[in-house]
Amino acid sequence: MDPRVREHAEILADHSTEMSEGDNVVIQVSPEAEDLAVALHEIAGDRGANPIWLTYSDRADRAFMRARADEGNEFETPQHQLSCYEDADVFVIARGGANATEKGDVPPETTAAHRRSMNPVLKERLSKRWNLTQYPTPAHAQLAGMSTEGYENFVWDAINKDWDAQHEFQQGMVEIVNDADEIRIRSGDETDLTMSVAGNTAINDWGKNNMPAGEVFTAPVRDSVEGDVYFDMPLYRHGKEIEGVRLRFEEGRVESFSAETNEDALAGILNTDEGSRYLGELGIGMNRDIDRFTYNMLFDEKMGDTVHMAVGSAYPETVGEENEVNESAEHVDMIVDMSEGSTIEADGEVVQRNGTFVFEDGFE
């Protein structure tokens, strides 16, 4: 076993989820990530925790959803899975299947219906100690346009690092956002978006729920988002590449939208429920070890010189008591490149210009 797998597992167990004696641990990874599952089981044994491995298969998920599409997209919440999640204390979920586009031919409306049925299960998981991570597989290396060895180096360089130092670096942006009432994002000729963050909380993401981590994120006040945004980086959603997304917000809601490719998939996301038309998250990428785009949102949203925004559910811990938590079965991140012709403003003051923060060398 590559020693970096053991280091990865130790970070997940000790830093991310604080696995301890008596914890019921659910390890949900694909067969391709068996080494990570083995390392986590060994650590769980050392800690006195109780692990189970729930393998998953994108091929199986695809078969199930396509069969139900033929029956009218009727899905029930799997109560047996919900019961398992209710009894668990810790979750580790690792992406890394054999085919990154396996579910590309599942109809968007089927995917949306399935997401709605799984929402109670998702909420239960989010109430526990959990972490979503990535295992480097050839499929994701191919998606990123990299060799398998190069992708392994990329993944573990972004994960196996000094998270205390990363936390300290990001804290400067946390303080700026927490002191602000309004954030404005401008990039190029097509993005000019304002939102209130008054009363909400910025979170320093240093690896508790995502690994790799490396962002500062908050929620906008639900009805406050105004303006236009052009997401100039693509995203993969259930095996489909969506490019060139444009959204127009009025009183917080997406009132018009377009995409240069797979607009039907974008429509499926935005039409999942009422909450999927509102922003649930604003995130600012700050992990400088993620230095390239890889078609993997777990990494791409943390990349330095970017911001991302998620339509759909807000994380309750980011929303103040006086503000409304946006709820949805969706949470879909989309990215704006902030490396050129871009600024982030907090209450009218520029705090990032062309990817450089006000507290970094080189900010003018």
Side-chain angles (χ1 to χ4, degrees):
M1 181 185 297
D2 190 315
R4 294 174 296 181
V5 177
R6 174 72 188 202
E7 184 179 356
H8 186 177
E10 288 175 345
I11 289 173
L12 295 173
D14 297 331
H15 173 74
S16 300
T17 64
E18 300 179 21
M19 191 185 299
S20 59
E21 185 176 358
D23 280 341
N24 292 329
V25 180
V26 174
I27 299 164
Q28 194 164 343
V29 304
S30 67
E32 291 76 14
E34 183 177 9
D35 277 358
L36 183 61
V38 170
L40 285 166
H41 274 72
E42 185 176 41
I43 292 169
D46 292 340
R47 305 292 187 274
N50 308 307
I52 60 170
W53 177 14
L54 300 183
T55 189
Y56 72 84
S57 163
D58 286 334
R59 285 184 65 203
D61 284 349
R62 171 188 176 274
F64 173 64
M65 286 194 284
R66 283 176 60 87
R68 284 299 173 90
D70 295 337
E71 300 298 324
N73 293 331
E74 294 294 329
F75 294 92
E76 296 181 3
T77 299
Q79 294 299 319
H80 52 309
Q81 185 174 357
L82 181 59
S83 296
C84 173
Y85 280 31
E86 288 171 344
D87 289 339
D89 302 297
V90 170
F91 291 87
V92 175
I93 305 101
R95 295 174 176 172
N99 181 354
T101 61
E102 183 66 52
K103 293 187 281 189
D105 56 358
V106 177
E109 59 272 17
T110 303
T111 299
H114 185 250
R115 291 279 297 181
R116 287 192 294 269
S117 74
M118 293 297 293
N119 202 36
V121 178
L122 175 63
K123 284 185 175 181
E124 186 63 33
R125 175 171 67 77
L126 294 177
S127 72
K128 307 298 178 70
R129 284 173 281 147
W130 62 274
N131 190 274
L132 173 64
T133 191
Q134 175 74 43
Y135 189 82
T137 61
H140 280 84
Q142 186 174 31
L143 189 64
M146 300 171 69
S147 67
T148 300
E149 181 181 2
Y151 189 65
E152 289 173 348
N153 294 336
F154 169 79
V155 168
W156 282 317
D157 284 349
I159 289 173
N160 299 342
K161 60 186 290 180
D162 185 342
W163 288 107
D164 289 330
Q166 186 70 27
H167 182 276
E168 183 178 355
F169 170 60
Q170 293 175 181
Q171 191 60 29
M173 200 62 199
V174 169
E175 293 169 4
I176 288 170
V177 176
N178 277 336
D179 288 341
D181 289 329
E182 183 180 85
I183 301 293
R184 184 178 186 182
I185 308 293
R186 292 194 286 182
S187 182
D189 297 327
E190 294 194 70
T191 294
D192 191 348
L193 199 70
T194 60
M195 63 190 72
S196 172
V197 292
N200 286 351
T201 300
I203 302 294
N204 190 332
D205 169 36
W206 62 311
K208 292 300 181 181
N209 295 134
N210 280 180
M211 186 57 69
E215 65 172 294
V216 170
F217 66 96
T218 189
V221 175
R222 187 176 189 267
D223 298 328
S224 72
V225 184
E226 295 283 345
D228 298 280
V229 56
Y230 172 55
F231 296 103
D232 47 6
M233 291 187 172
L235 69 145
Y236 256 87
R237 181 68 175 171
H238 300 302
K240 293 184 177 180
E241 183 179 9
I242 307 174
E243 294 181 291
V245 172
R246 291 173 172 86
L247 304 180
R248 170 164 289 179
F249 289 86
E250 297 176 13
E251 297 182 351
R253 190 176 188 274
V254 176
E255 293 297 342
S256 62
F257 64 90
S258 66
E260 294 165 8
T261 62
N262 283 316
E263 188 172 302
D264 60 333
L266 175 64
I269 293 167
L270 295 173
N271 294 330
T272 297
D273 49 40
E274 179 61 19
S276 61
R277 288 273 180 154
Y278 290 82
L279 276 190
E281 180 190 358
L282 167 68
I284 301 166
M286 299 184 70
N287 188 336
R288 299 293 192 199
D289 286 314
I290 302 174
D291 58 0
R292 68 184 70 192
F293 185 78
T294 62
Y295 289 95
N296 184 339
M297 194 60 67
L298 185 61
F299 288 78
D300 298 339
E301 69 174 4
K302 317 299 190 331
M303 185 166 45
D305 304 349
T306 66
V307 299
H308 59 276
M309 304 171 207
V311 293
S313 61
Y315 296 107
E317 62 268 30
T318 65
V319 181
E321 293 182 0
E322 301 300 318
N323 292 329
E324 180 181 358
V325 178
N326 191 50
E327 295 188 357
S328 173
E330 292 286 9
H331 181 95
V332 180
D333 296 289
M334 293 174 275
I335 301 174
V336 180
D337 182 355
M338 299 292 288
S339 61
E340 295 182 6
S342 303
T343 57
I344 301 175
E345 297 178 15
D347 293 337
E349 179 182 352
V350 176
V351 296
Q352 188 203 65
R353 181 181 290 110
N354 299 333
T356 303
F357 296 100
V358 66
F359 45 80
E360 286 187 293
D361 293 339
F363 181 85
E364 299 177 1

